[in-house]
Amino acid sequence: MSETTVPVSSPTTPAAVSAGALTGRARGVRVALRVVQVLLAPFYGVASALPKLMAHPTAVESFDRIGWGSGAMYTMGALELAGAIALLVPVLQSVAAIALGALMVGAFIVQVTAFDGQNAATPLILMVPLALIAWTRRAYNGKLLRLLGRR
């Protein structure tokens, strides 16, 4: 029996993905991570950003309670929507996960300080898959920097 050799590279690097050098297990991990991204995107875009952008009464009440007003509400909604879209764009996915993770750190702090920790677990739970996406898709950051350097 002969063994097939596979180039030694991370299964999440753009070269490894495009070269088709993924083993069955690595491919499964890559697909599972993509499913997580596809599930997180509508959560941030629809469940989180949309109520803020539409000025839903619960969102308005929450931002009034912390004293930030409608400007901050619309800004947070726009950032969440941009992050949701960017999670689905390969070259932006790691940066989007980092940015959404930073928003979740802020959301956790607000939940603990302004809302007595009422829903503080939600941002903590969401930080886990975002950190995983940011770490495993980090190879795309170099590609993004190269694309930005061309301009």
Side-chain angles (χ1 to χ4, degrees):
M1 270 167 106
S2 67
E3 293 183 38
T4 305
T5 59
V6 178
V8 179
S9 64
S10 171
T12 57
T13 61
V17 172
S18 63
L22 297 177
T23 64
R25 182 174 180 209
R27 184 173 291 127
V29 169
R30 186 184 61 149
V31 169
L33 189 62
R34 191 59 153 160
V35 168
V36 170
Q37 288 175 242
V38 169
L39 292 174
L40 281 175
F43 170 78
Y44 279 106
V46 177
S48 191
L50 200 58
K52 293 175 184 87
L53 295 173
M54 293 177 47
H56 191 273
T58 57
V60 172
E61 179 185 331
S62 295
F63 277 85
D64 286 344
R65 184 171 172 185
I66 58 178
W68 289 3
S70 62
M73 179 182 66
Y74 291 123
T75 300
M76 294 297 169
L79 290 172
E80 289 173 344
L81 183 60
I85 293 167
L87 270 178
L88 301 175
V89 178
V91 76
L92 298 175
Q93 57 197 354
S94 178
V95 174
I98 293 167
L100 288 170
L103 281 176
M104 292 301 97
V105 169
F108 173 75
I109 292 168
V110 167
Q111 288 295 329
V112 169
T113 58
F115 296 102
D116 300 320
Q118 188 176 13
N119 293 316
T122 303
L124 286 177
I125 292 167
L126 290 170
M127 278 190 254
V128 173
L130 290 171
L132 182 65
I133 292 165
W135 178 257
T136 57
R137 305 293 197 196
R138 69 190 180 280
Y140 287 95
N141 292 342
K143 186 174 181 181
L144 178 61
L145 288 174
R146 285 190 298 280
L147 285 172
L148 293 174
R150 291 183 190 167
R151 294 182 183 222

